[in-house]
Amino acid sequence: MRAPRRLTWARAGALWAGLSATWFAGCPTGTGPAEPEPVAEPEPSAEPEPAPDDFHDPLSTPEEPTVLLSNFTPAETCGNCHVEQHAQWRHSTHAYAMVDPVFRALVHERQVAFAGAQDQFCTQCHSTIGTRGGEVVDNFSFDNLGPVALDGVTCEACHKVTEVVRPYNAGHQLEQYSPMRGPLADPYPSEFHASVETDLLGTAPFCGSCHDVIEVSGLTLERPYAEFKESPRGLDGGRCLDCHMPTYDGPAAKDQPARTGLRDHSFIGVDTPLGDNFFATPDDKAAHRARVEALLTDVCSLSLQTADTVSQGTVIDLFATVKNEIDAHNLPTGTTFIRQMWLEVIATDDTGQVLFETGTLDANGDLRDFWSELDKYGDNDLVSYSSRLIDLLGTPVLFPWDATEHQSTSLSPLYERTSTLFIPTAEAAPGLVTISVRVLFRSHPPYLLRALALDEYLDELVVHELASAETEVLVTAAP
Ligand code: HEC
Ligand code: HEC
Ligand code: HEC
Ligand code: HEC
Ligand code: HEC
């Protein structure tokens, strides 16, 4: 029997009114381990909560602009002096956030679904400046956005943040007249801007202010910061930077003396931007992909257990244990409802005959589950570690705004889960049965790209092997 632990993040009907109360109720207050982060959690506000049908949030999706776009500078200008930071950033997914074809296609679907009335929702994090600066209006078109909005999560979207108000849904203050805020205690003077030292950007709640995502319905979509806060590393004072911004030495700006401990702005995750336009050269794209591969090395371990011998006709009980080796957040994390992580198991007998398979793909490259067009529900044994969005009837849905529940089977930090699979031997030739198991991962499923008419990118999808193991069982002739 296979019983993956099902974690339900949020339920139907949790409206904004109940939302902050629920969120904060989950935070330990006083009795738990001391908060390692210098940024205090905000207290639940005594202000009346916005009515559930009032989509606009004064902080992150204001009805009227709260900043002037002319007070912000395109990243390219910063790159005149911050050559390295710009070169790293411009191939990061932070720079990709507003040009990502998957993002654009989903925003289009949402525009259709809400007749444009919630257009600031998706852009509140993907382009905080464009959203607060009034360029993203109801029924906006990407074609009409200026360079700063199209820069997405650009330099000043981080370096002009003065305060974290809530660790989700773009919950930070963006100060248009702010000097550049950064980690340097004694910055050399710059003719372009004043500088101010701050610890804020290095803290996990700052990253969480965009990385934890809650739908307008109240459904939690992404929660790496919430996971991190309760993880061994989070409780030990660790930071997102430990892994996502490795250090290097060099000048922090052109013609300045070198410094130690600069932070790499490539923000490597699991995703390599699609298409040929984003990267300057194909080599840059290959280099990005190689860094994703490197990040995905040793993220989990896999061990197998079976009997040594069974007699023909009985079932081999295969125990496959997968452990998340990351001490900081779940595996997978973030957009787990888009990512796919699963177990592939193939058992073959001595003659090469396949006795059992799960986690193998159909001719479209899809898993043989609900979303397969060729073999829907053809794989009843599928073990998935991602999450799925479902509606009130329990039917899987593609778009977060159609979902009332988000069911996750992702692995908590350092947590291991054992799945049991039953391999029939009635058809097996007496002799050794070989069982090959792999933990596989990919950033996007083909069915999603097809549903969004993005077929041109299908060839770019890569299935990463996170772990593999093999075992043999001797099948003896039935007595
Ligand atoms: C997603 C947020 C984010 C974005 C976008 C971003 N930075 Fe940073 N930046 C940081 C963080 C975090 C640090 C390190 C903070 C710390 O160590 O406490 C940093 C450090 C710096 C520093 C200090 C020296 C160094 O390199 O470590 C400079 C200069 C800098 N960034 C410039 C830029 C420029 C220029 C851009 C755009 C091309 C940019 N940043 C984009 C978050 C960001
Ligand atoms: C004319 C050159 C120049 C331009 C253009 C420029 N900077 Fe700087 N910046 C500097 C210099 C010089 C320093 C100090 C470097 C040092 O001390 O090693 C600096 C420091 C910084 C720091 C660190 C501040 C601190 O105290 O930690 C940040 C962050 C930063 N710049 C961001 C930006 C951003 C974002 C832009 C674009 C909006 C930008 N800079 C444009 C020259 C420039
Ligand atoms: C111990 C190192 C480590 C720390 C610390 C860490 N991460 Fe990660 N992160 C990883 C690894 C490894 C992956 C790739 C595997 C995965 O997706 O979980 C990853 C993946 C991610 C992804 C992409 C997930 C996806 O599947 O789309 C995001 C987003 C992310 N991390 C954000 C964060 C944030 C935010 C923090 C801080 C709250 C953080 N990480 C802290 C190691 C770390
Ligand atoms: C202003 C909002 C914002 C802030 C602040 C922010 N991020 Fe992000 N981040 C994003 C968005 C949006 C994306 C995804 C863009 C896309 O691919 O379309 C992203 C992507 C990433 C990824 C790549 C995920 C992948 O699957 O490849 C990593 C890693 C990451 N961020 C780490 C961080 C860390 C660490 C911090 C804090 C220093 C941080 N981010 C702060 C909005 C933000
Ligand atoms: C609260 C901030 C926030 C909001 C609101 C938000 N996103 Fe994101 N989005 C992120 C972050 C952070 C990531 C990176 C997480 C990761 O890679 O796992 C991301 C990643 C993505 C990705 C994956 C990028 C890729 O191609 O792999 C897509 C697609 C996306 N978002 C679409 C949307 C859409 C559509 C909406 C509106 C329904 C939306 N986002 C709303 C912060 C946000």
Side-chain angles (χ1 to χ4, degrees):
M1 184 195 62
R2 169 165 55 91
R5 200 181 54 145
R6 280 256 152 80
L7 175 76
T8 300
W9 286 341
R11 296 200 156 269
L15 299 168
W16 277 106
L19 174 62
S20 42
T22 326
W23 184 278
F24 291 111
C27 305
T29 44
T31 51
E35 274 288 326
E37 299 293 349
V39 178
E41 291 293 341
E43 289 298 317
S45 151
E47 301 281 306
E49 296 289 343
D53 59 349
D54 179 7
F55 158 73
H56 291 282
D57 177 297
L59 179 64
S60 57
T61 54
E63 268 185 289
E64 298 298 328
T66 51
V67 297
L68 269 179
L69 271 160
S70 55
N71 287 323
F72 295 90
T73 310
E76 208 175 343
T77 308
C78 315
N80 290 335
C81 298
H82 300 291
V83 182
E84 282 303 311
Q85 291 88 346
H86 180 259
Q88 295 155 353
W89 168 86
R90 90 188 182 90
H91 289 157
S92 75
T93 56
H94 283 149
Y96 182 59
M98 287 294 277
V99 295
D100 177 356
V102 182
F103 176 73
R104 286 187 171 205
L106 284 167
V107 167
H108 178 72
E109 295 292 339
R110 194 182 175 100
Q111 287 187 308
V112 172
F114 294 94
Q118 294 188 0
D119 277 10
Q120 292 179 329
F121 178 73
C122 303
T123 60
Q124 66 181 314
C125 304
H126 286 248
S127 176
T128 46
I129 299 173
T131 307
R132 298 177 193 200
E135 273 204 336
V136 177
V137 292
D138 289 1
N139 289 308
F140 81 101
S141 159
F142 283 97
D143 296 339
N144 298 334
L145 299 180
V148 175
L150 288 174
D151 275 349
V153 184
T154 182
C155 315
E156 290 180 317
C158 290
H159 287 291
K160 283 186 167 179
V161 169
T162 54
E163 190 192 344
V164 172
V165 179
R166 57 172 190 241
Y168 57 90
N169 284 21
H172 54 250
Q173 295 288 358
L174 183 67
E175 175 47 55
Q176 56 188 334
Y177 302 114
S178 173
M180 294 309 156
R181 309 171 69 83
L184 309 179
D186 50 351
Y188 302 112
S190 148
E191 64 212 44
F192 189 75
H193 61 76
S195 299
V196 155
E197 186 197 0
T198 175
D199 290 337
L200 183 71
L201 303 194
T203 67
F206 168 70
C207 309
S209 71
C210 283
H211 274 267
D212 284 20
V213 187
I214 302 180
E215 248 293 358
V216 176
S217 64
L219 200 67
T220 298
L221 297 178
E222 301 175 31
R223 57 194 297 280
Y225 170 67
E227 293 156 8
F228 178 81
K229 217 163 74 105
E230 316 213 311
S231 72
R233 187 180 292 252
L235 292 171
D236 205 29
R239 310 197 294 170
C240 310
L241 276 50
D242 301 347
C243 307
H244 292 294
M245 289 187 92
T247 54
Y248 68 101
D249 300 338
K254 202 168 74 181
D255 302 331
Q256 300 296 333
R259 292 176 173 276
T260 56
L262 301 186
R263 292 285 176 175
D264 186 320
H265 281 65
S266 307
F267 294 99
I268 299 297
V270 303
D271 200 22
T272 296
L274 299 166
D276 297 328
N277 302 329
F278 184 75
F279 289 98
T281 68
D283 283 352
D284 291 330
K285 187 171 189 171
H288 191 281
R289 194 154 270 164
R291 291 186 68 183
V292 169
E293 256 328 317
L295 184 75
L296 288 173
T297 304
D298 300 330
V299 291
C300 68
S301 55
L302 168 67
S303 56
L304 306 178
Q305 221 189 316
T306 57
D308 294 334
T309 311
V310 300
S311 64
Q312 191 187 31
T314 58
V315 161
I316 300 171
D317 290 358
L318 169 71
F319 301 97
T321 303
V322 177
K323 180 179 179 194
N324 175 6
E325 298 289 354
I326 306 168
D327 63 3
H329 55 57
N330 285 18
L331 176 67
T333 188
T335 49
T336 48
F337 52 96
I338 294 183
R339 314 301 181 205
Q340 288 188 314
M341 176 173 157
W342 73 97
L343 205 59
E344 180 198 73
V345 180
I346 301 173
T348 38
D349 72 7
D350 237 1
T351 67
Q353 179 193 194
V354 174
L355 300 175
F356 176 90
E357 63 180 293
T358 175
T360 48
L361 306 176
D362 71 16
N364 280 336
D366 283 306
L367 287 168
R368 295 171 296 122
D369 63 4
F370 174 85
W371 295 104
S372 170
E373 284 164 24
L374 305 172
D375 197 6
K376 196 180 175 88
Y377 289 130
D379 187 354
N380 291 322
D381 297 294
L382 183 64
V383 177
S384 163
Y385 302 95
S386 315
S387 68
R388 53 183 210 148
L389 299 165
I390 57 173
D391 69 10
L392 272 175
L393 300 172
T395 311
V397 293
L398 209 47
F399 304 128
W401 53 92
D402 291 332
T404 54
E405 206 168 324
H406 187 182
Q407 293 179 331
S408 173
T409 47
S410 97
L411 301 165
S412 303
L414 304 183
Y415 174 85
E416 63 177 36
R417 182 183 303 136
T418 301
S419 305
T420 313
L421 293 127
F422 304 112
I423 297 166
T425 64
E427 308 290 318
L432 283 181
V433 167
T434 305
I435 307 172
S436 304
V437 183
R438 299 194 295 164
V439 181
L440 300 175
F441 179 91
R442 67 180 161 196
S443 61
H444 304 75
Y447 69 79
L448 176 68
L449 296 190
R450 288 201 307 275
L452 296 172
L454 297 171
D455 304 50
E456 64 191 287
Y457 303 115
L458 285 170
D459 289 346
E460 293 189 35
L461 298 182
V462 179
V463 175
H464 302 274
E465 183 182 295
L466 302 185
S468 68
E470 203 172 89
T471 187
E472 286 176 337
V473 179
L474 182 66
V475 175
T476 54

